[in-house]
Each structure stands twice: as C-alpha cells, then as structure tokens.
C-alpha cells in the first residue's frame, strides 16, 4: 500500500467527544477515498497490507459507532450481550482494545450466528443470522476497508445495498428506459440468494482484488462460522452468508457482480449505441438492459412501474422479436 496510508492513530475511547468522533470519521473517510481512487485508477490493481486498517483504532471506533447506531444494537448474539451491556459492564475502550489485540495477534475467531426465523408475507420463513457484537464490529471494520475498493468495480446497473443508491433510483432507471423505446419489464428473483452463495466463488472474486491473506482468511472465517439454531444445535456453513450480517450484503454484491459484468459486457458490445440497437431491431432481435436490486425492491415498489407491461413469468424465451426489454432482477 502507498506510503500515505495511515498507521494506527489514537486509541479508542469509551465516551468519545463529538469532536473526537468527527476526527475519527474524517480519518476513515479520507482513507476510504484513497482506496476507492486507487482501485478506480487501476482496475487490475490488487491490494495487500490492508489488515492493519481492519484493526486500526479509528476504523474500529467508527465500526463501533455504526454497530451502535444500527436498529439491531439491542439484539444479542449467542453470547447474550447487547451493545448496552458492553457499554455498562466492560466499557467501549476496553472492548475495542481487546478486539484489536486479538486481531493483531491473529487470534480473533468468529463464533456461530444465532439463527432466528422471520415470517414473510408469503407465509414462508426467512432465516436471519444474528452475530455477536464483537463479530459485528469486526465485520463493520472489514466493510469499511473493502467496500470502497469493490465500489470502484461494481456496475452502474447494480443498486442494492450500495452507498448513495436507493430502490427509487433503480425504479427511476426502469421508468427512463420505459419511456425510451423499451416495451417490457421482465422481473426475476434470485432465489435464496444469501443462503446459496458459493463460498469458493465469492472468495475467488475477493482474491482477484485482495492479496492480503489475513483479510481473506478473516472473511472466510466469517463465512464458515456456522449457525446456532433455536434448539441450541450448531450447524456447519457450507454455502451462503447469513442474512442480517453486516458484511453479507457486500459479499452478495461481490458474488453477483459476476452476473452484472456478464450482462454489461454484452450490452456494451452489442447494444451500447443507438445504431447498434436499431440494427438489432431491424434484424428481429430485441435489446435489453439489466437493472439489479436486492429482493426488498420488488414487493415494496412494484406499483411504481405497474403501468409498464410486465412480462409473464412463464415467457422464458423473451418477448416477440424486435421488442426491447428491461430486466429487473431482485
């Protein structure tokens, strides 16, 4: 990593002043901006020596603030401890120093997530994995380091779980194409996405950018940490990343970026200009554009583009020849 990467400034404090919190935020954001710039300037660059940032006191302090500010801060993992418990019994400074010491010594070990079943509107149940607060803080620190790098790689057609991108932005793009010659919206749902993500595939895409073996090993350890069911039985994790984990949305986007890349390569090569799209129409071929969001988009915002014709699910071969399609993947 370039020499202007920061070291380990300032120890975390249990009751940081607003000025201290602002300074921590500023330091982390400056480093994130550098990581994002380096990744964007050189798409082939591979990043090593990142682990020192994961256990950097400022990154851990910012990770703590994000965990504390999350709606799930009052929900314990398998150890029964909440954010408030740690503040009142241990103290934030001591807690973060313990985590930092374990990470620095290579002794930090993620523990199984506590699995709860959440009812869905369909009547089915969704698995939710609740990490311990310590695991959440480390995942948040990992995300602070990894996200700016992979954000430089993600395609503009991807909207879910990304900074400064909302479901309404995805809908606005669908509406834009619907008023520019595209006649169909084909909705698709990635079934059990978080449950079925292949560990080998996501780790391969992670290692394509990250050469720091300690960072990769820590991510893999979270993937393999396992699950503690409501019956108290521990289950191994062979696929998937727990829905509810702080790092899980980023890992899902890293895995699904393979899909985005494939679609965008075809778009740019065959449909990137008005001339190319007109030629395809003359030859009886349709044009398409992928817009991908997380599974929360479809049921919540479907009515926003209800005036556009939605292709029946059974029409697997696409619309009649020469029609243009917006592929809305949720």
């Amino acid at each position: 990593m370039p020499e202007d990467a920061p070291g380990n400034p300032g120890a975390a404090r249990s009751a940081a002043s607003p000025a201290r919190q602002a300074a921590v935020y500023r330091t982390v954001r400056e480093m994130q901006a550098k990581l994002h710039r380096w990744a964007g300037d050189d798409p082939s660059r591979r990043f090593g020596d990142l682990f020192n940032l994961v256990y950097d006191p400022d990154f851990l302090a910012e990770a703590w603030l994000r965990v504390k500010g999350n709606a799930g801060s009052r929900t314990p993992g398998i150890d029964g401890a909440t954010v408030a418990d740690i503040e009142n019994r241990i103290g934030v400074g001591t807690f973060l120093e313990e985590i930092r010491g374990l990470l620095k010594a290579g002794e930090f070990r993620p523990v199984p997530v506590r699995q709860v079943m959440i009812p869905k509107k369909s009547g089915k149940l969704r698995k939710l994995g609740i990490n311990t607060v310590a695991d959440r803080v480390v995942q948040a620190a990992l995300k602070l380091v990894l996200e700016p790098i992979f954000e430089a790689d993600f395609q503009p057609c991807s909207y879910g779980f990304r900074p400064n991108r909302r479901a309404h932005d995805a809908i606005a793009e669908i509406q834009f194409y619907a008023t520019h010659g595209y006649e169909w919206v084909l909705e698709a749902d990635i079934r059990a996405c978080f449950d079925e993500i292949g560990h080998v595939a996501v780790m391969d895409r992670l290692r394509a950018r990250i050469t720091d073996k300690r960072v990769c090993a820590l991510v893999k350890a979270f993937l393999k940490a396992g699950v503690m069911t409501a019956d108290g039985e521990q289950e191994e994790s062979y696929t998937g990343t727990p829905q509810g984990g702080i790092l899980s949305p980023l890992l899902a986007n890293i895995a699904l970026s393979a899909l985005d890349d494939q679609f965008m390569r075809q778009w740019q090569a065959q449909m990137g200009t008005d001339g190319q799209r007109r030629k395809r129409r003359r030859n009886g071929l349709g044009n398409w554009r992928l817009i991908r969001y997380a599974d929360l988009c479809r049921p919540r915002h479907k009515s926003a583009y209800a005036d556009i014709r939605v292709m029946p699910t059974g029409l697997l071969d696409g619309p009649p020849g020469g029609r243009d399609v917006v592929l809305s993947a949720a």
Side-chain angles (χ1 to χ4, degrees):
M1 179 170 293
E3 293 179 356
D4 53 356
N8 293 314
R13 301 176 186 175
S14 58
S17 66
R20 170 61 182 158
Q21 290 182 16
V24 166
Y25 178 77
R26 208 163 40 244
T27 298
V28 171
R29 291 295 293 158
E30 288 172 358
M31 189 64 228
Q32 287 183 308
K34 291 177 183 178
L35 292 170
H36 184 73
R37 184 176 69 250
W38 297 332
D41 289 346
D42 184 1
S44 65
R45 177 172 181 164
R46 303 179 73 197
F47 289 78
D49 195 22
L50 293 175
F51 198 66
N52 66 305
L53 292 177
V54 177
Y55 64 75
D56 178 277
D58 282 349
F59 273 74
L60 287 175
E62 179 64 20
W64 167 264
L65 290 175
R66 297 193 178 201
V67 170
K68 180 180 178 180
N70 189 278
S73 64
R74 292 178 292 179
T75 306
I78 64 171
D79 62 356
T82 65
V83 166
D85 292 333
I86 290 168
E87 288 178 321
N88 296 328
R89 299 175 187 174
I90 305 173
V92 178
T94 301
F95 176 72
L96 294 182
E97 281 300 320
E98 289 177 356
I99 291 177
R100 182 172 184 267
L102 291 171
L103 287 169
K104 195 172 182 180
E107 297 174 357
F108 183 86
R109 300 290 183 270
V111 299
V113 299
R114 181 169 68 88
Q115 186 182 85
V116 296
M117 306 301 287
I118 305 297
K120 300 167 67 173
K121 289 184 178 180
S122 63
K124 297 180 180 179
L125 295 175
R126 173 185 285 117
K127 297 177 182 177
L128 188 68
I130 303 175
N131 294 100
T132 63
V133 176
D135 283 2
R136 284 178 235 173
V137 169
V138 175
Q139 285 195 22
L142 274 169
K143 184 180 178 184
L144 288 170
V145 174
L146 295 176
E147 187 171 62
I149 296 171
F150 285 95
E151 272 294 316
D153 296 338
F154 291 156
Q155 297 288 350
C157 65
S158 168
Y159 285 91
F161 302 123
R162 295 184 59 189
N164 302 317
R165 286 182 162 235
R166 307 176 304 155
H168 291 291
D169 298 325
I171 295 165
E173 187 171 2
I174 292 173
Q175 292 175 327
F176 171 82
Y177 283 105
T179 58
H180 287 74
Y182 287 73
E183 302 177 46
W184 295 83
V185 176
L186 172 59
E187 284 196 336
D189 195 5
I190 301 171
R191 184 176 59 188
C193 176
F194 284 88
D195 296 336
E196 302 296 334
I197 288 174
H199 291 174
V200 173
V202 72
M203 289 304 301
D204 283 348
R205 291 191 73 83
L206 183 76
R207 293 189 181 105
R209 267 297 203 177
I210 309 299
T211 59
D212 191 318
K213 293 183 178 179
R214 294 173 297 175
V215 169
C216 292
L218 186 56
V219 172
K220 185 176 181 179
F222 276 113
L223 289 172
K224 299 293 186 183
V227 172
M228 187 71 71
T229 68
D231 298 328
E233 296 182 3
Q234 185 170 338
E235 298 179 352
E236 300 294 328
S237 300
Y238 299 107
T239 62
T241 178
Q243 191 164 353
I246 290 174
L247 197 59
S248 293
L250 176 60
L251 294 179
N253 271 334
I254 290 172
L256 293 173
S257 63
L259 173 72
D260 302 336
D261 291 345
Q262 174 67 15
F263 272 92
M264 290 306 294
R265 277 194 296 267
Q266 294 181 31
W267 161 269
Q268 291 163 357
Q270 302 172 24
M271 294 161 272
T273 67
D274 288 339
Q276 287 176 313
R277 292 192 288 273
R278 285 195 298 267
K279 182 177 179 181
R280 287 175 62 87
R281 292 191 201 102
R282 288 196 300 270
N283 293 332
L285 300 173
N287 299 299
W288 44 257
R289 176 75 177 189
L290 175 69
I291 299 170
R292 183 175 66 79
Y293 194 79
D295 56 5
L296 294 177
C297 175
R298 187 166 60 98
R300 186 171 297 173
H301 301 289
K302 187 173 180 179
S303 61
Y305 48 89
D307 56 326
I308 307 170
R309 281 174 285 179
V310 179
M311 189 185 302
T313 304
L315 191 54
L316 299 179
D317 293 331
R323 299 292 179 86
D324 293 349
V325 185
V326 180
L327 302 175
S328 176

